[in-house]
Amino acid sequence: MLVSDFDYLLPPELIAQHPLADRSATRMMHVRRYGGPEIDNLQFRSFPDLLSPDDLVVFNNTRVLPARLFGRRSGSRAQTLSPQNPASREFLTGRVEVLLTRQIQADPPVWQALVRPGRKLGVGEKIFFGEDAEHPELTAEILERGEFGERTLRFTGDFWGTVNRIGHIPLPPYIDRPDTAEDREQYQTIFARELGSVAAPTAGLHFTREILDRIAARGIETAELTLHVGLGTFQPLRHENVEENHLHLERYSISADAAEKLNRARREGRRIVAVGTTIVRTLEFAAQQSKEFGEQSGDANIFIYPGYEFRVVGGMLTNFHLPKSSLLMLVSAFAGTSRALRAYNHAVAERYRFFSYGDCMFIE
């Protein structure tokens, strides 16, 4: 199985650069593996009507942190970096961009991160953050280099205060514009609570209070899990043979309440509907560890591609994903590769909006 088998042609103008004013006004492709037409073109507002009263719908309650930081190298020309002046793509002398990807330790804060320009920054070098060039509010020391080009950074100073004040929302690279103040809320789901992701679980971006109320009015049970989206979202697969690739660890947690709901649904033979690939990965990884769900947390690195036998998930809501990506492979495993690629080509032909701020598909 080759990575190039999961490719499709996408006109750049179909990549959504901004969200719609009404989150639930997005389009939704309905894809069936069995029974009825294979593909329907609907609006997301139809989603509650496609659910069964017996379904359990599972959301990811992670919250995106302002993980994109701009600082300066030790020994570089002093500069004042203002949070009101979003960084351009051009680097000034000594300018360093840091993208936090995964927390390793809380006290003192130790994070994995992507760093630009990475080649010039060695182990032991320091990066300074804050508006006052002479008295930085936050300092990061590079502890080691990682397998995928990331760095391990140890921070000293007011970590969360500085990150919340000068950090930028890490919009994906295919959104070709600087982040804005509005993105701090628009790039969050309405159930985002647990801070720790560097990318939004984008299938959840379509939900509004009205949609959730309609789901509740039908008596449909819901649950929330947490998976903090990490570096794997940004990294392309390195090996052409699919099976030779592996994914980064992502932190997850399942509460006792969610575990009880999941176990009851499975015992009763009810369908579990995952809102997003993050929920699919969390549920399927946890199911590999034990026959029943329990209150738990850990690191998941499951890589799902065609041939995988799903143990938990019976329905999936998801946005459209990048060509040749691990997430498109997950969708192909769930829908069937040929069906998934037909759906993507149909989406291009019908001018769907793609990726994080774009439209979605519901696969049964």
Side-chain angles (χ1 to χ4, degrees):
M1 200 183 315
L2 302 178
V3 171
S4 56
D5 294 336
F6 300 89
D7 198 7
Y8 65 94
L9 295 176
L10 178 66
E13 66 269 18
L14 296 185
I15 300 174
Q17 299 296 309
H18 298 271
L20 298 181
D22 178 359
R23 291 175 181 237
S24 64
T26 51
R27 299 169 70 190
M28 180 179 68
M29 184 186 299
H30 184 200
V31 179
R32 300 175 180 86
R33 286 200 65 159
Y34 310 105
E38 183 177 72
I39 295 175
D40 278 333
N41 299 308
L42 306 174
Q43 296 291 318
F44 178 72
R45 293 191 184 96
S46 301
F47 178 70
D49 302 324
L50 299 179
L51 299 173
S52 164
D54 290 335
D55 286 340
L56 172 62
V57 182
V58 187
F59 301 102
N60 186 355
N61 62 13
T62 189
R63 186 170 183 84
V64 181
L65 67 145
R68 196 169 175 227
L69 308 174
F70 295 90
R72 60 191 179 280
R73 297 177 61 186
S74 52
S76 66
R77 176 169 59 85
Q79 301 168 47
T80 296
L81 305 176
S82 169
Q84 284 75 39
N85 181 19
S88 69
R89 296 185 182 276
E90 298 298 324
F91 287 97
L92 300 174
T93 303
R95 172 67 75 74
V96 177
E97 177 183 348
V98 172
L99 177 64
L100 303 173
T101 59
R102 179 170 173 262
Q103 186 174 24
I104 299 174
Q105 179 178 297
D107 188 21
V110 177
W111 283 74
Q112 285 186 336
L114 295 178
V115 178
R116 290 201 315 167
R119 293 181 181 178
K120 297 181 179 180
L121 294 167
V123 173
E125 188 157 1
K126 293 183 178 180
I127 306 168
F128 302 111
F129 305 92
E131 295 180 32
D132 187 340
E134 300 300 327
H135 302 93
E137 300 169 53
L138 187 65
T139 301
E141 180 183 358
I142 299 176
L143 299 183
E144 61 182 27
R145 294 172 176 260
E147 177 185 359
F148 296 96
E150 73 272 20
R151 304 290 191 273
T152 300
L153 306 178
R154 180 175 58 215
F155 290 87
T156 55
D158 182 11
F159 178 78
W160 286 112
T162 304
V163 168
N164 286 329
R165 191 174 56 78
I166 71 168
H168 296 262
I169 288 295
L171 294 179
Y174 47 74
I175 295 181
D176 189 21
R177 61 174 176 81
D179 65 300
T180 65
E182 289 75 19
D183 288 309
R184 284 210 171 205
E185 290 305 318
Q186 291 174 337
Y187 197 56
Q188 307 281 6
T189 67
I190 64 169
F191 25 80
R193 278 185 291 279
E194 302 297 328
L195 189 65
S197 275
V198 298
T202 54
L205 293 178
H206 307 281
F207 286 84
T208 62
R209 177 51 54 189
E210 176 196 357
I211 296 295
L212 293 180
D213 288 346
R214 286 176 54 199
I215 291 173
R218 298 193 60 207
I220 297 168
E221 191 174 31
T222 62
E224 293 183 4
L225 312 178
T226 304
L227 182 130
H228 294 315
V229 186
L231 183 60
T233 295
F234 299 93
Q235 294 292 91
L237 297 176
R238 295 187 165 211
H239 304 286
E240 176 62 7
N241 290 324
V242 169
E243 297 87 346
E244 294 179 16
N245 292 282
H246 64 277
L247 302 185
H248 291 76
L249 295 171
E250 294 176 306
R251 192 72 180 169
Y252 79 95
S253 62
I254 299 176
S255 67
D257 176 69
E260 194 278 329
K261 290 179 178 179
L262 288 162
N263 289 329
R264 185 172 64 243
R266 295 180 81 188
R267 287 195 301 269
E268 296 172 355
R270 294 155 51 205
R271 183 173 68 165
I272 295 174
V273 176
V275 177
T277 57
T278 59
I279 291 297
V280 175
R281 299 201 304 275
T282 304
L283 294 178
E284 295 296 327
F285 178 82
Q288 289 182 351
Q289 314 309 307
S290 175
K291 291 183 179 180
E292 287 205 338
F293 292 101
E295 183 177 7
Q296 61 192 272
S297 62
D299 294 311
N301 64 344
I302 187 170
F303 182 16
I304 296 175
Y305 50 84
Y308 178 84
E309 183 176 348
F310 288 85
R311 306 182 185 199
V312 182
V313 177
M316 175 170 56
L317 181 76
T318 179
N319 278 27
F320 295 95
H321 302 291
L322 291 165
K324 299 190 286 188
S325 65
S326 63
L327 298 182
L328 178 53
M329 294 174 193
L330 185 154
V331 170
S332 298
F334 194 78
T337 302
S338 59
R339 183 177 294 104
L341 292 177
R342 283 197 299 274
Y344 269 63
N345 289 326
H346 177 84
V348 171
E350 293 294 322
R351 311 292 290 179
Y352 275 71
R353 300 165 69 249
F354 275 69
F355 305 154
S356 295
Y357 278 148
D359 298 320
C360 60
M361 61 194 307
F362 180 45
I363 310 171
E364 298 191 89

